[in-house]
Amino acid sequence: MSSDYNNPAFKKLLQRLQEESWQLELIISGFAIFGLFTALEPISDAASIAQSKQQVVKAIVLFIAVISCGILLFNLLLHVVLRGLWIGTLGLRYVSGDIDYDSLNYSEKFTKYLKKRVGSFDKYVATLENYCSIIFAVSFLLIFYVLALTFSIVSIALIATQIIDNDNLPETLRTFVGVSLILFFLFGMILTFIDFITQGWLKKKKWISKIYFPIYWIFSFITLSVLYRPLVYNFLDNKFGRRLSFVLLPVYFAILVLSSFQYKPSNYFDGVNHSSEISASRLSYQDMLGDSEHVDEFAITSKVITTPYINVFMELTDNVEDNIFNFNPELEPENDKRGLRSNIIVTGETNWSSKREGQNKYLEALNQVYSVRIDSTDYEGEFILSENKQKDIGFETFVGIKDLEEGKHLLKVIRKRIKKGDTVKHSVCRIPFWHFKD
């Protein structure tokens, strides 16, 4: 029956389902709101961690998830509130019926005004029903819009990285093809956005529609609109739905602007974003990290050191490995295995002896590149592979400070790099601490 959509019995079934759909809407909204509130904070934390670790792909995916969760939460909460109001109006209508303006005994002026502006109570119930149904449907449609924008931007990024920056292609070819594709995508994105904002104006003009059609066809696959196109056009052919879409966009923009406001206690300081000579971020001290927090690339044991040694932890990131490769190009493999990889794919037998030799050379180069300096005293790098309590993989070393004077000191991690044939040193982190003998 479900495959024959012209069957009268199927149409009757749809009619009955849509009349009872409010129950399903409330059940789905309730479970979704609970799940979204539970997942929003862990996803936000994971996105921040991925950004700090420069894991671009993972960070983009997680930020899209955060945006989608925010949109769904706002819409579904609004839907539950309006649907609750709708249920309340039904209960009131059962008790009181329609509005009897004559029984209110108002003056003729007010009675005429209220009949015109407020109207029938049944009309109010029907309006609430329309709002609830459309808001519930548009909640999930907006997620597809977010994905459409994301895939469009990712397509441009892929063209830039896989064509324009691809050294395996001739320079003239990659420049011509890459720039042409980027211009086409930018032009297509602008036209698609104009068509979206104007609710199909480009499709209505005969000569413009001929130019826009091939762009529309290509972008329908890039934006995955082939999956939700019926929902879009069913939404736009309804006058009430079109008016609601014009209302929702300014509302989302207003929420975005309002959420950007925050109280600033000083003209000079906005917060402790990182550690330096004049600031101490908790992310630089391992004993101050929360269960879901991670080090900001470099960290020491504590802000106050009472032991005759200090532990320095350096997180393993793409940036650290790139620095080692730049200093010692012989370590850079032909096939870079970093990034998202599947553990199912087996590339071949592992030569453990060769792998251990490579690891030893890597650590030797790491200790040539990185060293520790406390105030003006340099300490040779003796970093080894390690893992902290947050299970971040990195390198750590211990520096003896028994002869260090009590009081405030500044620890620096120094990196060597080759610049124009010369080896130069510069600090990549500054972490203040206080040393007091126990």
Side-chain angles (χ1 to χ4, degrees):
M1 182 186 295
S2 60
S3 61
D4 187 5
Y5 56 87
N6 290 317
N7 191 313
F10 181 66
K11 291 184 180 294
K12 186 177 180 180
L13 173 64
L14 288 179
Q15 181 67 29
R16 188 172 70 253
L17 288 174
Q18 71 185 32
E19 290 173 356
E20 300 174 355
S21 64
W22 64 271
Q23 302 173 44
L24 293 175
E25 289 177 13
L26 282 177
I27 293 173
I28 293 172
S29 295
F31 279 106
I33 289 170
F34 175 77
L36 290 168
F37 268 120
T38 304
L40 186 58
E41 185 176 354
I43 294 175
S44 300
D45 293 339
S48 300
I49 293 167
Q51 185 181 23
S52 65
K53 292 183 177 182
Q54 301 175 357
Q55 298 171 345
V56 180
V57 176
K58 185 177 180 180
I60 290 174
V61 172
L62 290 172
F63 275 121
I64 293 170
V66 170
I67 294 171
S68 301
C69 285
I71 291 173
L72 280 176
L73 268 176
F74 172 77
N75 277 21
L76 293 178
L77 284 171
L78 180 61
H79 168 261
V80 168
V81 170
L82 291 179
R83 187 58 80 177
L85 179 61
W86 176 78
I87 293 173
T89 58
L90 289 178
L92 182 61
R93 186 184 183 281
Y94 175 77
V95 174
S96 182
D98 206 343
I99 302 174
D100 187 358
Y101 292 101
D102 294 331
S103 66
L104 294 174
N105 201 25
Y106 291 158
S107 66
E108 184 179 354
K109 182 177 180 63
F110 270 98
T111 301
K112 287 183 179 179
Y113 177 81
L114 292 174
K115 284 183 176 180
K116 181 179 179 181
R117 292 296 181 183
V118 178
S120 169
F121 191 71
D122 289 351
K123 179 184 177 183
Y124 178 67
V125 174
T127 302
L128 280 177
E129 165 66 20
N130 290 337
Y131 271 112
C132 293
S133 298
I134 290 179
I135 288 175
F136 185 79
V138 81
S139 300
F140 300 95
L141 182 60
L142 288 172
I143 304 303
F144 284 112
Y145 286 155
V146 172
L147 292 175
L149 178 62
T150 303
F151 289 141
S152 299
I153 296 173
V154 167
S155 298
I156 295 177
L158 287 174
I159 293 171
T161 56
Q162 301 301 318
I163 297 180
I164 296 179
D165 294 337
N166 191 345
D167 295 331
N168 296 323
L169 297 176
E171 184 175 357
T172 305
L173 177 64
R174 71 189 188 193
T175 301
F176 176 76
V177 174
V179 172
S180 299
L181 285 174
I182 286 179
L183 290 175
F184 171 78
F185 270 83
L186 289 174
F187 181 69
M189 285 176 65
I190 293 171
L191 287 183
T192 303
F193 181 73
I194 292 173
D195 189 62
F196 169 73
I197 291 296
T198 58
Q199 297 183 348
W201 182 80
L202 296 179
K203 301 185 187 77
K204 299 174 183 178
K205 304 300 177 180
K206 186 175 180 180
W207 64 275
I208 297 180
S209 63
K210 292 181 179 179
I211 300 174
Y212 177 61
F213 180 78
I215 297 174
Y216 168 81
W217 186 81
I218 293 173
F219 271 81
S220 66
F221 292 98
I222 296 173
T223 61
L224 300 180
S225 67
V226 292
L227 301 177
Y228 55 89
R229 191 181 294 159
L231 186 62
V232 174
Y233 292 124
N234 199 310
F235 182 71
L236 292 178
D237 72 353
N238 183 280
K239 184 179 180 181
F240 186 80
R242 291 196 300 270
R243 285 189 299 178
L244 184 61
S245 65
F246 279 118
V247 173
L248 284 177
L249 288 176
V251 168
Y252 289 132
F253 181 75
I255 292 173
L256 180 64
V257 173
L258 290 174
S259 63
S260 67
F261 282 91
Q262 58 180 347
Y263 181 79
K264 292 189 176 183
S266 171
N267 290 299
Y268 297 93
F269 303 107
D270 294 327
V272 186
N273 298 321
H274 61 277
S275 294
S276 66
E277 293 90 340
I278 62 170
S279 61
S281 170
R282 71 177 186 279
L283 300 181
S284 298
Y285 307 98
Q286 298 197 56
D287 63 342
M288 297 181 67
L289 294 174
D291 294 335
S292 61
E293 292 181 320
H294 296 257
V295 300
D296 186 13
E297 293 192 66
F298 302 91
I300 61 177
T301 313
S302 176
K303 191 179 293 185
V304 178
I305 305 296
T306 58
T307 57
Y309 58 85
I310 185 171
N311 173 251
V312 183
F313 180 83
M314 176 173 59
E315 187 182 12
L316 175 57
T317 63
D318 289 346
N319 189 41
V320 170
E321 191 146 304
D322 289 337
N323 293 334
I324 294 173
F325 291 163
N326 291 334
F327 190 83
N328 189 349
E330 294 180 359
L331 288 172
E332 186 172 4
E334 294 182 2
N335 182 23
D336 197 330
K337 298 179 181 179
R338 289 177 293 178
L340 292 176
R341 298 281 176 173
S342 173
N343 293 327
I344 299 176
I345 301 174
V346 180
T347 55
E349 296 183 0
T350 302
N351 189 328
W352 295 107
S353 176
S354 176
K355 185 175 182 178
R356 179 58 60 87
E357 183 182 354
Q359 290 174 342
N360 290 333
K361 289 182 178 179
Y362 186 102
L363 287 173
E364 182 180 347
L366 175 78
N367 286 301
Q368 289 178 353
V369 174
Y370 291 95
S371 60
V372 177
R373 178 182 296 169
I374 298 178
D375 298 330
S376 58
T377 305
D378 289 328
Y379 299 85
E380 291 296 326
E382 295 181 350
F383 288 97
I384 63 169
L385 186 67
S386 183
E387 185 180 67
N388 64 6
K389 65 179 182 179
Q390 278 76 24
K391 297 184 179 180
D392 293 321
I393 298 176
F395 308 95
E396 71 172 351
T397 187
F398 289 83
V399 178
I401 56 173
K402 64 179 181 178
D403 297 326
L404 201 65
E405 294 182 358
E406 292 189 339
K408 180 187 174 184
H409 299 276
L410 184 66
L411 181 143
K412 300 179 182 179
V413 175
I414 305 300
R415 177 171 76 90
K416 292 180 182 178
R417 65 189 182 102
I418 299 175
K419 185 177 181 181
K420 297 181 179 180
D422 296 328
T423 301
V424 295
K425 295 181 177 180
H426 74 284
S427 63
V428 291
C429 88
R430 294 175 174 85
I431 304 176
F433 70 94
W434 283 259
H435 175 53
F436 298 100
K437 297 178 181 179
D438 195 2

